Amino acid sequence: RSVNIVAFGNERDALSEDSQQSSLMWSYLRRSALISEVDSSPSAEYARSPVATEYQACVFGNVRLVVHDCPLWDIFDSDWYTSRSLIGGADIIVIKYSVNDKTSFQDLKDSYVPMIKKALNHSSVPVIISAVGARKNAVPCTCPLCTLDRKNCVTTSEGAQLAKEFGATYLELHALNDFYIQKYFGGVLEYLMIQSLNQKSSEKMKKRKKTQKCHRVQPPQLEQPEKMPILKGEASQYDSDLHNLLFCCQCADVSFYSEDCSKVVEAHKVILCSVSHVFMLLFDVKSPADIHDPSILRTAQSLFAVEDGAGLPTPHGMPPCSVPVRVVVKDPAFCSCLSDILHFIYSGAFQWEQLEEDIKKKLKDSEKTEHVLEKVKCILKPPGKLNSLRDCQSHQIKRLCNTSLRLFFNTPVLADVIFTIQGATVPAHRAVLVARCEVMAAMFNGNYLEANSILVPVYGVSKDTFLSFLEYLYTDSCCPASILQAMSLLICAEMYQVMRLQHICELYIITQLQSMPSRELASTSLSIVSLLKKAKFHNSDCLSTWLLHFIATNYLIFSQKPEFQDLSVEERSFVEMHRWPSSMYLKQLAEYRNYIHSQKCHCAVM
């Protein structure tokens, strides 16, 4: 017997000084008298940037307890399939947040609660919403009408309203001590664990009753179908793709110079503007009136000066109309560290501690180091936010930076290439295309017509499919609306050799087909054999193999469809060999039925 608990959210304050504070789930496992043999390990899938920790223990003596603790909500943005799998296997879900982090609570309420509801799909999994911590700017008040702590803290009424809308149990834990952990939180959690175990026992008893055998003659045993091949997701290369773009300097449209006119480094407007309003202001993407923050304007004016780039030679890989912008860096200390700062930004702003070490080694002066790091924080600061980011951790800078090329997807702002497709135009940015797609990199940097053209025609795919393809290149995510759209996107991904997108489409198609009930599968107009043919033609070996197993596993359904005749001799032979139920079982079943009728007896199974 086992109980699976999945916990989402971070109970620590966004800018908490206590980085060693134990998590809610770990505190409960350590302190509860009912828990024994606790073991913890970070999930291997997130070894690069851990977002999930697995704890295993024993509860109630001999019940296996598995806890997946996911403190970062990034798992929903970067790997929807894994997050949905975690929720699907959960017996209890715990959502936790800090009462002193209103921004995270708003993100939870607006973005992630709807995702969790969608993944639960109306199932009756119990949910606990835990508000952790004592409100710092006022004495904690449980009065629903109190407004003392409404600006910066999450009020009791806000948390209770969220729990009511979710149908969850709401708990306020003012401290992670023995009272709140063991008696309050632990009491509710242990009650739900007992309820889950009782429900599982009840379902098991029902199954036993249904499988009672006929006393006279045993019917033939139907074996389980063969396990179909499992497709594993491919790790994202999004951050490394952008980082490599800085190394190769292809399609660079910005050149940074020191005050003595020596070139420091080349970069790309679209990447810089996606992380910083300072660069948006510098490259005229936004005006001072759009930003409403004088500190960003002061930072841009004190650090940089844009010079006229007329008359400069066009670099390799850029069309003649795209002349790189010359930017002079006014601050000598900042200029000497600019290369390290750009590497930090292009790599996804994960490694703040590494940036600190690199700048310390280069400057060898604590005051200058502190000065440069403060300038970096000013560059990354969103408009209207206070720049109080001393002693930041990497994941906090990542949240602040929030690199998002989605802002520039399908927009003419800073675009330097226009695709023409089905009579329509789609603007794009060469830097992003070259970084994310090797075929595009060869097309724009080789001896091809597209290397020096603004207008680039696209053939063989629809506009909607190509837009979905570009959206993946910009955001590293895609969400097909149907199986047919996923197949079209898979064909486009194969055409441009973007293997990870191809695997995502394969997984989507498999997930959708697996979730189809037999009745819907029998009545659908979707041709599985046609999908199989397309998968083979476009070198999707994993999907084509899986589809063959799928047809064989659902043999009684597909053998009645006209499309079954379109299978090749080799495919038909494979399906007949692996069919379920097997022809031997159907023969034994017919013999059993004849025996029952000849004996004129009633069979409980039949």
Side-chain angles (χ1 to χ4, degrees):
R1 296 188 300 170
S2 65
V3 176
N4 293 316
I5 300 175
V6 179
F8 295 107
N10 191 353
E11 59 274 28
R12 302 188 183 96
D13 296 350
L15 302 176
S16 174
E17 297 178 358
D18 185 9
S19 61
Q20 302 301 320
Q21 176 188 345
S22 297
S23 68
L24 173 61
M25 300 309 300
W26 178 241
S27 299
Y28 167 73
L29 293 173
R30 281 190 309 159
R31 299 184 187 207
S32 176
L34 299 176
I35 304 295
S36 61
E37 302 177 12
V38 180
D39 183 26
S40 67
S41 61
S43 177
E45 186 175 354
Y46 305 101
R48 179 171 175 264
S49 176
V51 295
T53 303
E54 180 179 294
Y55 303 104
Q56 296 191 15
C58 288
V59 64
F60 307 131
N62 61 346
V63 177
R64 181 168 171 263
L65 177 64
V66 180
V67 179
H68 289 92
D69 194 0
C70 309
L72 300 180
W73 291 104
D74 298 31
I75 189 172
F76 283 89
D77 299 323
S78 62
D79 196 345
W80 169 240
Y81 293 99
T82 298
S83 59
R84 185 170 65 176
S85 175
L86 285 174
I87 295 172
D91 298 314
I92 302 170
I93 293 177
V94 178
I95 298 174
K96 44 201 170 71
Y97 64 87
S98 168
V99 296
N100 295 302
D101 193 348
K102 187 103 179 216
T103 302
S104 295
F105 175 82
Q106 204 62 41
D107 291 340
L108 161 66
K109 179 180 177 182
D110 296 340
S111 301
Y112 301 115
V113 163
M115 290 185 182
I116 296 174
K117 282 185 177 179
K118 180 180 178 182
L120 285 174
N121 195 22
H122 306 292
S123 63
S124 58
V125 176
V127 179
I128 299 175
I129 294 181
S130 300
V132 182
R135 295 173 179 83
K136 293 183 178 180
N137 62 339
V139 177
C141 179
T142 58
C143 174
L145 300 178
C146 180
T147 59
L148 291 175
D149 55 357
R150 190 157 290 174
K151 290 184 178 180
N152 298 319
C153 297
V154 184
T155 63
T156 299
S157 58
E158 288 174 323
Q161 181 62 29
L162 177 62
K164 182 178 179 182
E165 294 172 357
F166 202 112
T169 302
Y170 177 69
L171 303 177
E172 279 211 353
L173 311 176
H174 297 308
L176 298 183
N177 55 28
D178 288 340
F179 172 79
Y180 284 103
I181 291 295
Q182 292 189 44
K183 297 183 179 179
Y184 194 24
F185 175 78
V188 175
L189 188 61
E190 286 153 14
Y191 170 79
L192 294 178
M193 284 194 280
I194 292 171
Q195 292 291 95
S196 175
L197 290 171
N198 289 340
Q199 182 179 354
K200 288 182 178 181
S201 298
S202 175
E203 291 174 353
K204 192 173 182 180
M205 289 298 296
K206 289 180 181 178
K207 287 183 179 179
R208 283 183 181 177
K209 291 180 180 179
K210 288 183 179 180
T211 56
Q212 288 180 346
K213 299 180 180 179
C214 178
H215 294 293
R216 297 180 179 179
V217 178
Q218 297 297 326
Q221 296 297 315
L222 179 61
E223 297 180 354
Q224 291 296 317
E226 291 186 18
K227 289 186 177 181
M228 289 187 281
I230 300 175
L231 270 68
K232 295 183 178 180
E234 187 176 329
S236 172
Q237 300 294 323
Y238 188 75
D239 293 330
S240 61
D241 286 344
L242 297 182
H243 194 216
N244 292 335
L245 178 66
L246 183 64
F247 276 112
C248 67
C249 290
Q250 291 180 343
C251 303
D253 53 4
V254 181
S255 296
F256 288 98
Y257 288 81
S258 62
E259 289 189 305
D260 62 2
C261 296
S262 60
K263 184 184 289 188
V264 179
V265 68
E266 291 182 328
H268 308 83
K269 292 180 187 177
V270 65
I271 307 297
L272 300 177
C273 291
S274 69
V275 303
S276 171
H277 283 76
V278 170
F279 290 115
M280 286 187 180
L281 192 63
L282 196 67
F283 300 129
D284 297 326
V285 174
K286 289 189 176 182
S287 66
D290 297 326
I291 294 179
H292 305 295
D293 191 336
S295 64
I296 291 180
L297 180 60
R298 288 195 300 269
T299 300
Q301 292 174 342
S302 63
L303 278 180
F304 305 109
V306 179
E307 293 186 351
D308 184 12
L312 293 175
T314 301
H316 177 68
M318 295 294 294
C321 62
S322 300
V323 178
V325 174
R326 290 172 58 97
V327 177
V328 175
V329 184
K330 297 180 181 179
D331 189 316
F334 187 89
C335 184
S336 64
C337 302
L338 183 59
S339 177
D340 297 311
I341 295 168
L342 289 181
H343 282 298
F344 166 73
I345 290 175
Y346 273 68
S347 61
F350 269 115
Q351 302 173 352
W352 176 256
E353 291 81 4
Q354 183 63 47
L355 177 64
E356 285 183 317
E357 289 297 321
D358 293 340
I359 293 178
K360 284 179 184 178
K361 289 179 181 179
K362 184 165 288 187
L363 296 180
K364 299 178 181 179
D365 185 312
S366 59
E367 291 186 5
K368 288 184 178 180
T369 300
E370 185 66 23
H371 167 76
V372 171
L373 291 174
E374 285 300 318
K375 291 295 183 184
V376 175
K377 294 172 186 177
C378 289
I379 289 176
L380 300 180
K381 183 179 80 73
K385 295 293 182 73
L386 295 176
N387 190 24
S388 56
L389 297 173
R390 295 180 182 274
D391 303 322
C392 284
Q393 301 297 319
S394 288
H395 69 272
Q396 293 170 340
I397 291 291
K398 176 72 165 66
R399 181 189 299 175
L400 175 74
C401 174
N402 192 23
T403 304
S404 179
L405 287 171
R406 187 182 294 275
L407 295 172
F408 297 93
F409 166 64
N410 196 22
T411 174
V413 178
L414 299 179
D416 53 8
V417 63
I418 298 175
F419 292 101
T420 58
I421 178 170
Q422 293 183 332
T425 58
V426 178
H429 306 80
R430 291 171 186 262
V432 179
L433 305 178
V434 166
R436 300 280 288 137
C437 176
E438 293 183 2
V439 172
M440 293 277 194
M443 185 170 71
F444 288 123
N445 291 288
N447 296 320
Y448 297 99
L449 184 63
E450 293 85 354
N452 297 305
S453 300
I454 295 296
L455 293 176
V456 176
V458 176
Y459 306 103
V461 295
S462 68
K463 178 189 173 184
D464 290 340
T465 300
F466 192 70
L467 278 173
S468 297
F469 172 73
L470 289 182
E471 183 179 13
Y472 170 79
L473 297 185
Y474 276 74
T475 66
D476 202 41
S477 63
C478 72
C479 188
S482 65
I483 292 177
L484 291 178
Q485 187 183 26
M487 178 55 75
S488 298
L489 189 55
L490 183 149
I491 293 171
C492 184
E494 190 268 339
M495 182 166 60
Y496 287 100
Q497 292 296 293
V498 182
M499 294 297 109
R500 183 169 181 268
L501 176 57
Q502 192 171 348
H503 292 157
I504 289 175
C505 294
E506 290 174 343
L507 283 170
Y508 177 87
I509 293 170
I510 289 172
T511 303
Q512 293 299 307
L513 290 176
Q514 281 180 327
S515 63
M516 254 189 209
S518 297
R519 183 174 297 177
E520 183 181 350
L521 194 61
S523 61
T524 183
S525 60
L526 179 69
S527 174
I528 305 301
V529 175
S530 176
L531 291 180
L532 171 64
K533 300 293 185 183
K534 289 181 179 178
K536 280 193 169 184
F537 185 79
H538 292 282
N539 304 309
S540 182
D541 297 333
C542 294
L543 179 59
S544 61
T545 301
W546 188 91
L547 287 173
L548 269 177
H549 278 276
F550 185 69
I551 293 171
T553 303
N554 297 276
Y555 182 87
L556 295 181
I557 294 176
F558 288 108
S559 61
Q560 303 301 317
K561 292 194 171 191
E563 64 183 272
F564 190 75
Q565 306 302 322
D566 296 334
L567 292 171
S568 66
V569 174
E570 182 182 353
E571 292 165 348
R572 180 77 70 88
S573 175
F574 178 92
V575 169
E576 292 290 346
M577 182 181 299
H578 298 86
R579 58 177 286 183
W580 186 88
S582 66
S583 55
M584 178 62 70
Y585 169 81
L586 294 178
K587 181 180 179 181
Q588 291 174 350
L589 182 61
E591 292 174 352
Y592 174 76
R593 283 175 173 169
N594 292 333
Y595 171 80
I596 293 297
H597 289 303
S598 66
Q599 298 296 318
K600 296 183 180 180
C601 63
H602 176 72
C603 174
V605 174
M606 299 303 294

